[in-house]
Amino acid sequence: MISANLSAIFYLISGVLFILALRGLSSPETSRQGNLFGISGMIIAVTVTFLLIGNFSTGFIFVLIFILIGGLIGAFIAYRIPMTAMPELVAGFHSLVGLAAVFVAISAFLNPEAFNLGTKGNIKLGSLIEMSIGAAVGAITFSGSIIAFLKLQGIMSGSPIVFKGQHPLNAIILISIVVLIYLLCASQSSNLFWILLAVSFLIGFLLIIPIGGADMPVVISMLNSYSGWAAAGIGFTLENTALIITGALVGSSGAILSYIMCKGMNRSFFNVILGGFGATDISSSSANKEQRPVKSGNADDAAFLMKNASSVIIVPGYGMAVAQAQHALREMVDTLKKNDIKVSYAIHPVAGRMPGHMNVLLAEANVPYDEVFELEEINNDFANADVAFVIGANDVTNPVAKTDPQSPIYGMPVLDVEKCKSVLFVKRSLSPGYAGIDNDLFYKENTLMLFADAKKMTEDITKNL
Amino acid sequence: MEIDPLIFRLSIFILSIFVGYYVVWSVTPSLHTPLMSVTNAISSVIIVGAIIAGLSGNSDTIFNTSSTFGFLAIALAAINIFGGFLVTQRMLAMYKKKKKDK
């Protein structure tokens, strides 16, 4: 119906709209408009594809039916999912992108004529390379995301699964993928194509199982990046500009997020990817610590401290998400504000299970985003604040990161919570956090431990205010 | 000598990586979760390939092995497109500024 040149221009336009969609996210005001750009880009890309093929027969009806089925499922999930389950949802979505890339690659391999890639058993070399890379990366994204999903959902234990010879095994498999792609291109054998897919699924699985729950922010960002590279690989195969641009955008976006997350933990990307963190360090670091006295209090004490404060800084962490305490927290803050107490929120880059996790939860609880600050913006304010209210966070407040070069988290940027006049620490027990190390903050003179479920404690404090 | 079109596509790819790099660094950290869900949605533009695959059968056999994979990919990508954009919309609607009267 329309010429290939015209359609290429429209694909370019939709690629540009996707760039604008990401650009919009530079501030919450422009973000909603950005999302509309993204949606229009998608509508253009799909419409142009229909016009380009120009086949409006029975097959077209089926395409619409499948879009409708998928769309309904997607819309249903989007409206029903609780905000606390966002990390699982994103991991699940990544797996679908990966699987879709694999399916498109399989389809193109079985029927290259439809894609103008040559004939079966004689696919153009360049296309075959692009296709097999896209398929392999897609398969890794799929199985990796499934594991990430299971770990986040709690179906699979969040603790790292390590075994002897793990890294050499992974290295051998990764090398074998490269060899398989080479052999596949040389022989065009479909058996090798299936083996390549199987091996790629396997390595995606093996790469993620040794990585622990709290490292999931890095894993999700990394898989986000992979899904982009898989899309780009397929984009090269299909010679489609929209797909190439999008793949590159998503690929670099995920890579940057992984970098930010790693920096937030002061660990190298490889240290995270090789996994096992927190599994091996527990015994060594907690054995040499004797029991030290802690001060613990109840909701009444906490309410008293906060009532007499003039400024309070809230430090939320993953525990807040688990306890679903964000609404109760906001109610407490509303009461504090009525008493003319200044309240702000401090978010560590790796708080929660995915980048920006805490921000979304606070936004859900109607906390205005201009009361929520990043680590660098707020860290100097702790010294002037009266009370720090730590709810569900642990390692990100540990002063050991600044003082003890032996500690596994040494050098990690932490919130200077201990500089506050007093610290209220809501936690269920004294158990160490993810890094497996004791938090010095528990034993400080000015720390009051509140041993309870985060939501329950917050509600009790509100009653006592 | 003609330049291989692959080189042009490679140029677009490399330049887009740079565009992505600068655009994503300017994203405010508080919107990193919506960023992930929206990148999810847009990477599902892979549905374009899925549609070509789905329509690759002829009028007698709409469902051959190749096109069946295409149709499955269409459904998967559609879940992502609708789910991704709608959940992003839902999240972004929650980000509010402080009310003036407070």
Side-chain angles (χ1 to χ4, degrees):
Chain A
M1 295 263 272
I2 58 174
S3 77
N5 284 335
L6 190 60
S7 68
I9 288 171
F10 277 112
Y11 283 135
L12 182 63
I13 293 174
S14 85
V16 171
L17 285 167
F18 290 151
I19 295 174
L20 292 175
L22 299 193
R23 181 77 188 97
L25 290 170
S26 57
S27 92
E29 288 104 77
T30 53
S31 62
R32 285 172 275 262
Q33 190 194 16
N35 201 35
L36 294 180
F37 281 133
I39 295 173
S40 11
M42 189 61 72
I43 294 173
I44 291 175
V46 171
T47 316
V48 166
T49 309
F50 285 141
L51 294 176
L52 180 66
I53 303 174
N55 172 359
F56 293 101
S57 60
T58 338
F60 176 69
I61 311 279
F62 278 105
V63 171
L64 290 185
I65 292 174
F66 276 89
I67 291 181
L68 193 68
I69 295 172
L72 285 174
I73 300 174
F76 180 77
I77 298 172
Y79 282 113
R80 293 299 296 273
I81 190 92
M83 282 300 143
T84 40
M86 234 35 230
E88 293 95 298
L89 179 74
V90 168
F93 277 168
H94 286 157
S95 74
L96 298 183
V97 179
L99 196 59
V102 171
F103 283 172
V104 173
I106 292 176
S107 181
F109 185 79
L110 294 176
N111 188 2
E113 287 95 340
F115 296 83
N116 286 323
L117 304 176
T119 54
K120 203 172 177 200
N122 191 18
I123 299 171
K124 280 187 278 182
L125 179 65
S127 310
L128 191 56
I129 297 174
E130 292 151 4
M131 183 191 300
S132 42
I133 293 174
V137 179
I140 294 172
T141 312
F142 172 70
S143 54
S145 301
I146 292 287
I147 301 298
F149 175 82
L150 294 177
K151 286 196 170 195
L152 288 164
Q153 186 81 5
I155 298 171
M156 205 172 137
S157 156
S159 53
I161 299 171
V162 283
F163 54 86
K164 236 183 142 193
Q166 191 164 28
H167 298 319
L169 176 71
N170 289 348
I172 291 170
I173 295 178
L174 284 174
I175 294 167
S176 77
I177 287 180
V178 179
V179 175
L180 276 167
I181 291 179
Y182 174 79
L183 292 176
L184 173 64
C185 294
S187 69
Q188 304 254 352
S189 146
S190 57
N191 284 340
L192 284 176
F193 185 73
W194 300 119
I195 295 174
L196 172 70
L197 284 181
V199 172
S200 304
F201 280 126
L202 180 69
I203 187 69
F205 170 76
L206 287 173
L207 280 176
I208 308 300
I209 54 166
I211 305 178
D215 282 340
M216 283 301 141
V218 181
V219 171
I220 298 190
S221 321
M222 183 184 80
L223 292 166
N224 185 253
S225 182
Y226 287 0
S227 71
W229 304 130
I234 302 295
F236 274 102
T237 318
L238 305 180
E239 309 183 348
N240 184 305
T241 333
L243 210 47
I244 295 176
I245 295 178
T246 317
L249 287 179
V250 178
S252 53
S253 160
I256 290 172
L257 289 177
S258 321
Y259 171 78
I260 296 175
M261 294 300 113
C262 288
K263 217 171 130 239
M265 299 190 290
N266 190 39
R267 290 168 58 200
S268 77
F269 184 67
F270 286 102
N271 180 297
V272 176
I273 292 313
L274 292 177
F277 190 75
T280 46
D281 296 306
I282 295 171
S283 51
S284 59
S285 52
S286 55
N288 52 17
K289 290 242 163 78
E290 74 276 29
Q291 286 286 332
R292 289 191 278 169
V294 295
K295 281 200 287 187
S296 79
N298 57 27
D300 205 14
D301 306 330
F304 178 78
L305 268 171
M306 285 207 257
K307 232 188 295 185
N308 292 307
S310 62
S311 68
V312 174
I313 298 179
I314 314 249
V315 181
Y318 181 57
M320 181 187 81
V322 175
Q324 306 246 4
Q326 67 270 30
H327 297 281
L329 181 67
R330 209 252 318 152
E331 275 162 31
M332 185 188 91
V333 169
D334 283 349
T335 321
L336 289 174
K337 279 193 201 151
K338 268 183 215 140
N339 292 322
D340 281 330
I341 300 167
K342 187 174 166 280
V343 185
S344 39
Y345 298 80
I347 314 269
H348 191 276
V350 293
R353 285 291 185 265
M354 75 183 293
H357 192 184
M358 292 298 119
N359 303 80
V360 172
L361 294 183
L362 292 177
E364 187 201 10
N366 283 321
V367 172
Y369 62 81
D370 38 7
E371 287 176 12
V372 182
F373 299 93
E374 303 301 315
L375 177 114
E376 306 88 54
E377 296 172 323
I378 201 168
N379 227 3
N380 292 327
D381 297 356
F382 280 106
N384 305 320
D386 296 309
V387 176
F389 186 73
V390 182
I391 174 165
N394 186 357
D395 289 337
V396 298
T397 62
N398 197 339
V400 156
K402 290 176 288 192
T403 53
D404 178 11
Q406 303 302 318
S407 167
I409 61 166
Y410 181 71
M412 167 171 145
V414 285
L415 293 158
D416 295 334
V417 173
E418 78 281 0
K419 289 188 180 152
C420 268
K421 289 202 188 73
S422 46
V423 178
L424 296 167
F425 212 117
V426 187
K427 207 170 177 306
R428 266 178 298 197
S429 70
L430 267 184
S431 62
Y434 171 68
I437 47 166
D438 227 5
N439 193 339
D440 266 2
L441 201 57
F442 299 164
Y443 314 103
K444 292 260 180 203
E445 191 61 19
N446 56 354
T447 303
L448 189 67
M449 299 297 295
L450 306 167
F451 293 112
D453 172 74
K455 189 176 176 193
K456 174 120 203 333
M457 176 53 76
T458 319
E459 284 166 352
D460 288 349
I461 294 174
T462 314
K463 273 181 220 145
N464 281 301
L465 275 170
Chain B
M1 269 223 346
E2 288 258 337
I3 299 173
D4 191 325
L6 175 69
I7 304 300
F8 289 115
R9 288 192 282 277
L10 201 61
S11 319
I12 294 173
F13 181 63
I14 303 289
L15 290 175
S16 303
I17 292 179
F18 278 92
V19 172
Y21 179 85
Y22 289 108
V23 168
V24 171
W25 269 117
S26 75
V27 170
T28 164
S30 67
L31 291 176
H32 275 164
T33 298
L35 171 69
M36 302 205 86
S37 61
V38 86
T39 49
N40 233 312
I42 64 172
S43 57
S44 301
V45 73
I46 201 161
I47 196 170
V48 166
I51 292 171
I52 301 175
L55 292 176
S56 63
N58 51 41
S59 44
D60 307 323
T61 49
I62 292 163
F63 290 96
N64 56 36
T65 328
S66 164
S67 70
T68 307
F69 276 111
F71 281 115
L72 290 176
I74 290 174
L76 294 179
I79 296 178
N80 249 325
I81 292 172
F82 283 79
F85 280 127
L86 289 174
V87 87
T88 310
Q89 193 86 334
R90 204 181 129 201
M91 272 191 275
L92 293 177
M94 299 184 316
Y95 282 81
K96 291 186 198 85
K97 241 188 163 148
K98 207 184 307 189
K99 286 199 196 86
K100 287 230 171 79
D101 54 21
K102 266 187 188 170

